[in-house]
Amino acid sequence: MRSKLMDSAAQAVADIPDGASVMIGGFGGVGGMPLLLILALRDHGARGLTIISNTAGIISAAGFGTPPGKRAFDHGLLIENGQVKKVIASFPVSGSPSRPNAFEKAFRRGEVELELVPQGTLAERIRAGGAGIAAFYTPTGVGTVIAQGKETRVFEGREYLLEHALKADFALVRAWKADTLGNLVYRGTSRTMNPIMATAARVTIAEV
């Protein structure tokens, strides 16, 4: 069977076209984020991207989770570079109102769209996408702006929202190690969004 190893991060992301939807793994800081793939995608230059991620680049503003002496960067680089048209995320802002991140600045200028999703709902929408489940009901978000325009039903006296599964054209994930067939082993914070994203994309690219 043909090896799935790539010679470089640049080669791995070379087929991502303009307008693609891209899931990017990680939680909040640099741990568990595919940083080399993010840099390669920035240099590749694909534009009009829809990014699906837990955040929208909080560390680019606040340095959150960055080791001492290292430059703080994440997928906010893609927003700074004008490559992103929409973000689907749970925590799109920086950790400090006085230090807005690249997404906040672009959003205020009307350059990027936002679909805000509660964190547990985001994880379940991605998991559902990988499991072939089209949609599910959840009580999270009922009575808030999250519920606007969504179908609701009442089960056992409690109101629930209908949430649709999330899938993507590509997923950029970070794992601890892999074999030549693409089987992945995760460790530490890489176990947050990465494993479910790996199942929910048409093509998964893993940095190990």
Side-chain angles (χ1 to χ4, degrees), residues 21-155:
S21 55
V22 183
M23 291 180 175
I24 298 180
F27 187 70
V30 295
M33 296 195 92
L35 298 178
L36 296 179
L37 292 175
I38 291 170
L39 284 173
L41 182 56
R42 180 201 62 182
D43 295 340
H44 170 50
R47 308 184 80 80
L49 302 174
T50 295
I51 299 300
I52 303 167
S53 185
N54 185 51
T55 73
I58 64 171
I59 65 172
S60 61
F64 178 75
T66 307
K70 299 293 185 179
R71 181 192 173 198
F73 78 89
D74 54 17
H75 46 310
L77 291 179
L78 304 175
I79 298 171
E80 290 174 355
N81 204 36
Q83 294 174 252
V84 179
K85 72 170 184 179
K86 181 177 180 178
V87 169
I88 301 174
S90 294
F91 197 79
V93 299
S94 76
S96 170
S98 64
R99 292 179 290 181
N101 63 11
F103 169 80
E104 291 176 81
K105 295 174 183 177
F107 184 78
R108 291 171 185 174
R109 293 191 300 264
E111 297 171 355
V112 64
E113 303 171 36
L114 171 65
E115 181 179 340
L116 187 64
V117 185
Q119 192 172 77
T121 301
L122 179 67
E124 183 61 10
R125 287 180 66 186
I126 295 168
R127 190 200 70 83
I133 299 169
F136 59 92
Y137 285 97
T138 175
T140 303
V142 170
T144 72
V145 295
I146 300 297
Q148 292 178 2
K150 294 179 181 177
E151 177 184 330
T152 63
R153 286 189 63 182
V154 175
F155 297 95

Side-chain angles (χ1 to χ4, degrees), residues 163-188:
E163 295 283 0
H164 293 265
L166 273 175
K167 294 186 283 187
D169 300 316
F170 295 86
L172 307 184
V173 303
R174 175 72 182 268
W176 176 45
K177 62 180 179 179
D179 63 19
T180 57
L181 300 180
N183 297 300
L184 303 176
V185 178
Y186 303 94
R187 184 171 66 177

